[in-house]
Amino acid sequence: DAGSSVEEMEFNWDEYLEDTGATAAPHGSFKHVDTSLQNGFAPGMKLEVAVKSDQNTYWVATIITTCGQLLLLRYDGYGEDRKADFWCDIMTADLHPIGWCEQNKKILKVPEGIKDKIPDQEEFLQQVLKGANSAPANLLEGLHRGKNPLDLIAPGSRLELQNMRDSLEAWIVHVVENVGGRLKLRYEGLEDSDKFDQWLFYLDPFLHQVGWAAQHGYSLQPPLAIRSLKSEADWQEILKKVKEEEEESSVPTDLFKDKPVIGMHSFSEGMKLEAVDPMAPFVISPATVVKVYDEKYFMIEIDDLRPDRTTSQSYICHVNSAGIFPVQWSLKNGLHLSPPPGYPGQDFDWADYLKQCGAEAAPQSCFPSLTSDHGFKENMKLEAVNPVDPEEVCIATVTKLKDSYLWLQLEGSKKPVPDCIVSVESMNIFPVGWCETNGYQLRPPRKAIVNKQKKIAVVQPEKQILSSRTVHDGLKNQELNSSDSVVINGKYCCPKIYFNHRCFSGPYLNKGRIAELPQSVGPGNCVLVLKEVLTLLINAAYKPSRVLRELQLDEEAAWHGHGETLKAKYKGKSYRATVEVVRTADRVADFCRKTCIKLECCPNLFGPQMVLDKCSENCSVLTKTKYTHYYGKRKNKRIGRPPGGHSNLEVAMKKPNKRRKRRKHFFVHKKKRSSTSVDNTPAGSPQGSGAEEEDDQDESELSHSLAQDRDKRKRKLRTFSFSDDENKPPSPKDIKLEVAEKLQLDSNPLEWSVADVVRFLKSTDCAPLARIFLDQEIDGQALLLLTLPTVQECMDLKLGPAIKLCHHIERVKLAFYQQFAN
């Protein structure tokens, strides 16, 4: 629903890590993610590049570094002279693989700047090209030019997927979605049904390019689960169609060059071992090798001793499959081994079991050695696929480690699941921020709403009179049965306050969080119960500080009740305000109704009456606009201070020893309010108040260094130093010839506001990163100072997203130098 989607949008990893006191698992521990970020070019590769001073000649250059589709090159012969380095855009520059000039009868000629260093061109080329690694031809020429190899797995691309459950067969699948290399796959022939869709990382050992089955002697057959959906003739027609369209839907062969190589195993049929079912990786169970296909693949089955069993849990394995262990591995590591269903008794003993089955244990030599050198530690956070619902990627906490295996607790899953057992090399785990970087929805953690039922004194039905002081100070530590009542000076204490989850929650309260509130609070002392109710409502808001501002006591209003200080936490800041609550039970119903109307929600959303079936206000059929109009709440929104000039809403900074480790803000500017400011408020939530937009001061000391950097940049604009003519920065004339699709700017980036920078980023494929620029208030001047190391360190971005972002920043810089620098 809309409420939960807004909650997901508001999730912030930095705040969450601080709140939980946890650390993120190191990025280097996710090897498959690092592999996916490689763009095919690597430092040290060589290529043939047109010499700028003579476009008809070429020379060998070496890649120094890469930045998206930009390559930093150095002509061979300059040695360690960095002044000669120059950037080239793969999409527009005249770049070719080694050997291209010879094949196309083009001239290889030493550039003028190093002519005196290379007396014999032929000898020099033989020396530098001996054993050289040429840049991939397919990334320099043709349709794939300049593209990240991973991006070539586009929706509609076809692959072959081995059947992991039934037998060693494969069938054609096509890509429905590619999320950072994690592919949503659909069997060919099931175009209109997603029932059998699977999610796999592109490096999965069971995923292959089309033609793999034929090359290795395996049959192409649809899995048994879908085979009956079509006739044999239909399946053959599908295969024929695939072969006809093979060229246009194929994936480059070298894309799978980094896929793990499957070695030879030494398992035999009947061997026993311990295993984790990959489809339900929650327990370790005894298992049996039931079939050996060849030297690479075998099938294991989770043991089940029940005579009336109708199904079996079996799947294909190879020597490096995760979740298979030698007999006694659980015992040696102090872990629980689940006895097979139907096993007599709970005390499982391997020696007795092997004797009873007449089987042998698979020897230790059958299993790969496990390592503990992986970088993961207990309580670290990461992102992980929910094995029960692979559509979900959840926040995960490492709760236990044993050798190369992690026990992960998933947070925020739609249906709670036990701790999952995964290998440290699993391709279903990802570093913190992976979902955000790839534009995929991460399941946020559920807010832990604890029903802190106040413990009130047990009072008999005679309605014993207690003093106000006793109730306020002591009753919360004792207990009260719901059928009993507390009376203060002849007045009943607060009855139960019900949260009627079906009622309209209004624009301030998050429907998803309201649904997670307890059914009721109380009964007990009015002040204590109402304070708890309001605290729960504040925590269930899109912006808790905004709801606190709506509830705060207006100092000019008449004081009819009791002032209580309530707190709210939002975006790393703590807020507090005085809120008026009533003291007596006879005013509770009216107080709840008025508070509901103040928050523009149904008057029955919370109060002493439980809504059973249909709300008496008929709120379910009223839209937000009609509802607000119906209850007549059209007051001016208070921006900054409330009427009267003095707000009791205070922003409380954290104590020094608990200071928030926020994302590094390396540029700090005063907030500007203007008509061009970007509205970043979640849909359906109110605009932030003035107090929420207080400037951060904790890093303002960096403003001086910012000014210095800008001065240096201005001084350098006219003082570039180059070793020879061919390596000078291109003039605007040259750029027109060399860059066909250059960026044209309507305004000078030096004058861009934060909103302008955000607007520019949202027009690129780095739109998900715009929020970081807004949070860190990066304007045009700051943008022009950004470099790849700065972006990686200060924005905490992984190399791939940082490179993609820097490519767009370089485009802006290039356009700035061309259009405005002079």
Side-chain angles (χ1 to χ4, degrees):
D1 58 56
S4 61
S5 66
V6 174
E7 180 180 6
E8 288 158 0
M9 286 169 57
E10 290 183 346
F11 176 74
N12 181 292
W13 259 117
D14 287 339
E15 292 181 7
Y16 181 69
L17 288 173
E18 188 196 345
D19 290 343
T20 56
T23 57
H27 282 272
S29 296
F30 304 87
K31 296 176 185 175
H32 61 297
V33 176
D34 279 341
T35 301
S36 71
L37 295 175
Q38 296 171 7
N39 68 352
F41 296 99
M45 285 182 174
K46 294 186 183 294
L47 60 166
E48 295 174 355
V49 187
V51 177
K52 290 183 181 177
S53 59
D54 184 356
Q55 292 293 321
N56 294 319
T57 66
Y58 296 80
W59 190 241
V60 175
T62 301
I63 297 175
I64 305 301
T65 190
T66 65
C67 181
Q69 65 186 49
L70 299 178
L71 302 177
L72 183 63
L73 304 176
R74 185 184 303 165
Y75 285 124
D76 282 13
Y78 277 100
E80 299 300 318
D81 186 358
R82 292 169 54 187
K83 292 179 184 176
D85 295 357
F86 59 99
W87 287 98
C88 278
D89 189 326
I90 303 165
M91 297 298 290
T92 56
D94 199 356
L95 310 174
H96 304 281
I98 296 297
W100 179 86
C101 284
E102 186 179 352
Q103 293 170 8
N104 293 274
K105 296 184 170 46
K106 298 291 183 180
I107 302 170
L108 273 176
K109 184 180 177 183
V110 183
E112 290 295 326
I114 50 174
K115 206 169 186 179
D116 57 335
K117 296 182 180 180
I118 304 175
D120 189 330
Q121 176 177 313
E122 293 301 322
E123 185 182 341
F124 177 81
L125 285 176
Q126 283 183 5
Q127 187 179 342
V128 298
L129 294 179
K130 187 177 180 180
N133 185 13
S134 174
N138 67 304
L139 296 180
L140 290 169
E141 300 167 348
L143 295 174
H144 299 162
R145 182 174 183 173
K147 290 187 178 180
N148 186 319
L150 190 60
D151 295 336
L152 301 178
I153 312 179
S157 299
R158 290 193 176 104
L159 299 162
E160 288 182 2
L161 176 63
Q162 284 178 253
N163 191 331
M164 290 174 274
R165 280 292 188 184
D166 298 329
S167 62
L168 201 61
E169 297 171 339
W171 187 242
I172 310 293
V173 290
H174 64 263
V175 177
V176 177
E177 193 175 352
N178 179 356
V179 181
R182 188 167 182 255
L183 309 178
K184 186 176 185 180
L185 303 169
R186 184 167 298 167
Y187 286 117
E188 201 67 33
L190 301 184
E191 282 72 15
D192 301 325
S193 172
D194 61 359
K195 183 179 178 183
F196 299 96
D197 287 0
Q198 297 185 51
W199 282 93
L200 288 177
F201 203 73
Y202 80 105
L203 295 173
D204 191 285
F206 285 86
L207 196 59
H208 312 277
Q209 64 195 76
V210 173
W212 174 87
Q215 291 170 11
H216 293 82
Y218 299 125
S219 62
L220 268 180
Q221 290 284 344
L224 284 174
I226 67 168
R227 200 171 296 176
S228 61
L229 299 179
K230 291 182 183 292
S231 67
E232 183 61 29
D234 289 339
W235 291 121
Q236 290 304 317
E237 189 62 32
I238 289 167
L239 269 182
K240 183 181 175 184
K241 180 187 173 188
V242 168
K243 287 179 180 176
E244 289 172 356
E245 300 173 357
E246 185 174 342
E247 204 168 304
E248 57 192 73
S249 64
S250 63
V251 171
T253 54
D254 62 344
L255 193 66
F256 299 103
K257 68 183 186 322
D258 297 312
K259 199 165 72 166
V261 177
I262 296 175
M264 291 170 39
H265 72 82
S266 53
F267 287 92
S268 303
E269 285 187 17
M271 283 182 174
K272 294 284 185 183
L273 64 156
E274 296 180 1
V276 175
D277 184 349
M279 301 301 175
F282 311 119
V283 297
I284 304 173
S285 308
T288 306
V289 177
V290 293
K291 190 170 184 179
V292 173
Y293 292 97
D294 52 26
E295 72 277 2
K296 285 188 176 181
Y297 300 103
F298 57 96
M299 178 184 280
I300 74 165
E301 182 176 297
I302 304 296
D303 286 1
D304 189 337
L305 305 180
R306 292 173 296 184
D308 56 344
R309 66 171 182 157
T310 55
T311 59
S312 63
Q313 294 170 277
S314 58
Y315 51 95
I316 306 294
C317 287
H318 51 81
V319 69
N320 293 318
S321 285
I324 55 174
F325 314 99
V327 162
Q328 304 285 14
W329 186 81
S330 297
L331 182 65
K332 290 174 184 175
N333 286 278
L335 301 169
H336 175 69
L337 181 71
S338 294
Y343 182 80
Q346 289 299 312
D347 297 328
F348 181 82
D349 181 80
W350 261 116
D352 290 344
Y353 185 60
L354 289 172
K355 198 172 183 180
Q356 175 187 336
C357 298
E360 64 170 323
Q364 180 72 48
S365 59
C366 289
F367 302 88
S369 57
L370 301 178
T371 175
S372 55
D373 182 22
H374 43 65
F376 291 100
K377 294 179 181 176
E378 281 190 18
N379 296 319
M380 278 185 171
K381 301 284 184 180
L382 57 146
E383 299 176 4
V385 174
N386 182 353
V388 175
D389 183 0
E391 289 273 350
E392 285 187 357
V393 179
C394 304
I395 292 169
T397 306
V398 179
T399 58
K400 192 178 354 183
L401 294 106
K402 294 294 178 184
D403 293 330
S404 300
Y405 288 84
L406 310 173
W407 274 250
L408 299 179
Q409 181 185 55
L410 302 185
E411 303 172 41
S413 57
K414 292 175 186 174
K415 294 179 181 178
V417 295
D419 285 9
C420 307
I421 306 169
V422 300
S423 165
V424 295
E425 296 182 350
S426 168
M427 297 183 193
N428 283 328
I429 58 176
F430 305 95
V432 160
W434 183 85
C435 279
E436 182 182 3
T437 302
N438 290 285
Y440 194 75
Q441 183 59 64
L442 174 70
R443 290 291 303 175
R446 288 191 181 90
K447 291 283 184 183
I449 304 295
V450 180
N451 185 8
K452 301 175 184 175
Q453 291 280 0
K454 301 297 182 185
K455 295 186 177 181
I456 312 299
V458 176
V459 181
Q460 300 303 320
E462 291 84 26
K463 302 185 175 82
Q464 177 180 349
I465 305 290
L466 299 177
S467 72
S468 171
R469 179 79 180 173
T470 304
V471 173
H472 195 274
D473 294 341
L475 296 188
K476 61 182 179 181
N477 297 317
Q478 301 162 41
E479 190 172 347
L480 172 73
N481 294 325
S482 59
S483 59
D484 297 331
S485 306
V486 174
V487 180
I488 304 174
N489 297 331
K491 301 279 186 183
Y492 287 96
C493 223
C494 187
K496 272 189 182 181
I497 302 297
Y498 294 96
F499 290 105
N500 297 308
H501 302 127
R502 295 182 181 180
C503 289
F504 178 75
S505 56
Y508 298 128
L509 303 177
N510 185 318
K511 184 178 178 182
R513 295 178 190 168
I514 287 290
E516 294 174 353
L517 295 183
Q519 188 178 15
S520 64
V521 173
N525 173 266
C526 281
V527 172
L528 298 178
V529 170
L530 294 177
K531 183 178 179 181
E532 182 175 3
V533 168
L534 295 180
T535 299
L536 289 171
L537 288 171
I538 290 168
N539 292 335
Y542 294 116
K543 295 185 177 181
S545 53
R546 188 69 182 89
V547 168
L548 184 61
R549 177 169 286 279
E550 287 297 313
L551 295 176
Q552 71 173 321
L553 179 66
D554 192 334
E555 293 183 5
E556 292 186 346
W559 190 310
H560 298 295
H562 176 81
E564 277 291 317
T565 300
L566 297 182
K567 299 176 184 177
K569 186 177 177 184
Y570 183 62
K571 286 193 174 178
K573 293 177 184 165
S574 296
Y575 301 82
R576 63 181 70 228
T578 302
V579 175
E580 182 187 26
V581 294
V582 296
R583 298 170 180 251
T584 55
D586 58 339
R587 299 181 57 201
V588 166
D590 184 60
F591 171 83
C592 291
R593 186 176 182 86
K594 286 181 177 177
T595 304
C596 286
I597 293 173
K598 191 182 289 187
L599 297 180
E600 300 184 31
C601 56
C602 173
N604 290 335
L605 181 66
F606 62 94
Q609 296 296 321
M610 182 190 290
V611 174
L612 297 174
D613 295 315
K614 191 176 179 183
C615 173
S616 60
E617 301 291 338
N618 200 26
C619 65
S620 61
V621 299
L622 295 169
T623 65
K624 289 182 181 179
T625 307
K626 289 179 181 176
Y627 207 91
T628 304
H629 176 75
Y630 181 72
Y631 287 106
K633 187 180 187 300
R634 277 294 123 202
K635 66 176 183 182
N636 292 329
K637 296 285 186 289
R638 290 174 288 181
I639 303 296
R641 300 179 184 274
H646 300 285
S647 172
N648 62 40
L649 181 63
E650 301 172 3
V651 181
M653 299 308 292
K654 295 237 177 189
K655 294 180 181 178
N657 62 338
K658 292 184 179 178
R659 189 158 187 168
R660 176 174 295 280
K661 294 179 183 175
R662 303 189 66 178
R663 223 187 259 274
K664 294 182 183 176
H665 289 214
F666 43 95
F667 298 116
V668 180
H669 310 279
K670 290 291 182 185
K671 297 236 177 189
K672 298 175 184 176
R673 296 176 189 271
S674 70
S675 58
T676 60
S677 63
V678 176
D679 178 15
N680 212 48
T681 308
S685 65
Q687 294 292 329
S689 64
E692 292 156 16
E693 296 178 359
E694 292 288 330
D695 293 330
D696 294 330
Q697 300 297 328
D698 55 349
E699 293 184 39
S700 58
E701 65 268 18
L702 293 180
S703 58
H704 179 63
S705 63
L706 170 61
Q708 287 181 328
D709 287 343
R710 288 173 183 161
D711 291 341
K712 287 179 185 175
R713 172 69 69 179
K714 287 176 183 177
R715 287 199 299 273
K716 285 183 179 179
L717 284 176
R718 298 179 181 271
T719 59
F720 288 107
S721 174
F722 296 88
S723 60
D724 59 71
D725 290 337
E726 59 266 21
N727 290 301
K728 286 182 181 176
S731 67
K733 243 183 214 179
D734 297 329
I735 291 173
K736 285 177 185 174
L737 294 172
E738 198 173 300
V739 184
E741 296 181 7
K742 62 177 182 280
L743 182 66
Q744 282 291 340
L745 300 178
D746 296 328
S747 59
N748 190 335
L750 284 174
E751 299 169 358
W752 283 4
S753 66
V754 176
D756 295 328
V757 172
V758 168
R759 195 176 296 112
F760 166 73
L761 281 173
K762 286 188 173 180
S763 70
T764 70
D765 57 357
C766 288
L769 302 178
R771 181 62 180 267
I772 299 175
F773 281 71
L774 187 65
D775 290 344
Q776 299 200 11
E777 302 179 66
I778 298 175
D779 62 8
Q781 293 182 3
L783 181 76
L784 293 176
L785 295 176
L786 293 180
T787 62
L788 181 60
T790 311
V791 164
Q792 279 189 276
E793 180 186 352
C794 300
M795 294 188 178
D796 198 22
L797 292 180
K798 201 67 171 118
L799 181 60
I803 284 175
K804 190 182 288 187
L805 174 62
C806 282
H807 167 62
H808 294 295
I809 295 172
E810 292 300 324
R811 290 173 64 217
V812 174
K813 288 180 183 179
L814 184 63
F816 164 72
Y817 292 140
Q818 179 189 342
Q819 296 177 238
F820 302 102
N822 294 325

